[in-house]
Amino acid sequence: MGVIGLGMGRGHARGYHSHPQADLVAICDMDVGRLQEVQSELDVPRIYTDAEKMFCAEELDGVSIAVPNKYHAPLTIAALKHGLHVLCEKPMAMTVKEAERMNAAATKASRSLMINFSFRFTEAAYALKQQVDAGVVGDIYFGRSVWHRRRGIPRFGGWFGIKELSGGGALIDLGVHRLDLALWLMGYPEPVTVTGSTYDRIAQPLAKKERKQFDVEDLACGLVKFANGATLILEAS
Ligand SMILES: NC(=O)c1ccc[n+]([C@@H]2O[C@H](COP(=O)([O-])OP(=O)(O)OC[C@H]3O[C@@H](n4cnc5c(N)ncnc54)[C@H](O)[C@@H]3O)[C@@H](O)[C@H]2O)c1
């Protein structure tokens, strides 16, 4: 396995390193300091600052992609073209079109493409899903899924708040986890209408004051209606 991007990707690297059926043979990051830190922590044989070079030089079975959202689609598609299975961080992509291209590339290459919706693997979510599947809670006709981060915006001024790199704010960053869990538990009903609002009233004045770039929303809320009559309320901030 290889890993690209060593922020969150450090966790992927540690996972592969400790797994008895995996070998972590290469890591890639543009930040040489991070590369060296992870290489010495996990004793990784080879390091790269360019993903394409890693794809060409290594005989990888699969790769984790944990870079800023803007690069999810191009790096995933490149990895699939090299015949690799891909575990890509959430959000899948910045736009639906990008996500569709990623899916098409996976189909064409006959390789697996998985998005790291890590909350599905928490004990609480897993237990709830088992209960839902066993019919314990009956039909789910209403859902409300919320992630409110009340203690500020982590790494304020970084790429998460720059639309060109992230694709959006709280909704694409935190809301995707909650939307994924809700749809999974509700059995993927077909959406019919979606309405929502986004706001940036807390982050904007703060960004101005601190002279930082922040051009995404800090609060998003939405209402999704499904063909089976169910409704989902989603909030992320
Ligand atoms: N599943 C989760 O709960 C979870 C949690 C945190 C972050 N994430 C996701 O992980 C991704 C990365 O977030 P992060 O917090 O680690 O960000 P980060 O900025 O800490 O780390 C990203 C790393 O990618 C490197 N990088 C950027 N472009 C690159 C490229 N083209 N080639 C090689 N390396 C490149 C950077 O140098 C940096 O070290 C994001 O998509 C984020 O949404 C998911």
Side-chain angles (χ1 to χ4, degrees), residues 118-135:
S118 41
F119 283 85
R120 284 199 198 188
F121 301 93
T122 59
E123 287 173 6
Y126 195 71
L128 186 53
K129 174 72 170 145
Q130 280 182 328
Q131 298 294 303
V132 169
D133 288 349

Side-chain angles (χ1 to χ4, degrees), residues 13-201:
R14 287 182 183 135
Y16 297 133
H17 175 72
S18 63
H19 198 288
Q21 289 172 302
D23 290 319
L24 177 65
V25 296
I27 49 177
C28 172
D29 200 298
M30 295 184 320
D31 179 333
V32 177
R34 280 190 161 180
L35 266 178
Q36 288 170 343
E37 261 175 51
V38 178
Q39 183 178 38
S40 68
E41 181 195 326
L42 304 176
D43 208 11
V44 187
R46 288 171 296 281
I47 58 175
Y48 296 86
T49 51
D50 181 321
E52 188 58 34
K53 283 195 180 141
M54 181 174 84
F55 297 148
C56 291
E58 299 288 336
E59 286 183 15
L60 298 171
D61 291 325
V63 69
S64 273
I65 296 179
V67 293
N69 307 343
K70 177 175 181 165
Y71 308 110
H72 287 189
L75 284 178
T76 295
I77 291 167
L80 288 163
K81 280 188 180 159
H82 280 275
L84 275 59
H85 299 284
V86 176
L87 173 59
C88 179
E89 267 302 340
K90 50 54 63 175
M92 182 170 184
M94 303 216 298
T95 64
V96 174
K97 272 202 176 124
E98 280 183 354
E100 283 171 350
R101 284 200 283 118
M102 290 160 79
N103 265 342
T107 305
K108 192 169 173 197
S110 298
R111 291 292 181 272
S112 297
L113 167 59
M114 181 174 177
I115 307 303
N116 188 25
F117 285 119
S118 41
F119 283 85
R120 284 199 198 188
F121 301 93
T122 59
E123 287 173 6
Y126 195 71
L128 186 53
K129 174 72 170 145
Q130 280 182 328
Q131 298 294 303
V132 169
D133 288 349
V136 175
V137 299
D139 271 348
I140 303 179
Y141 57 88
F142 176 73
R144 179 168 177 257
S145 200
V146 176
W147 187 333
H148 285 176
R149 203 172 239 164
R150 293 189 172 84
R151 290 171 188 250
I153 300 167
R155 294 191 275 169
F156 192 54
W159 68 263
F160 279 94
I162 299 172
K163 189 164 185 181
E164 206 234 322
L165 294 172
S166 62
L171 183 62
I172 202 169
D173 183 33
L174 309 175
V176 282
H177 276 302
R178 291 295 177 262
L179 180 62
D180 174 66
L181 277 185
L183 292 175
W184 185 52
L185 292 167
M186 293 172 90
Y188 288 103
E190 177 74 24
V192 179
T193 62
V194 179
T195 54
S197 305
T198 59
Y199 300 90
D200 61 2
R201 292 202 194 174

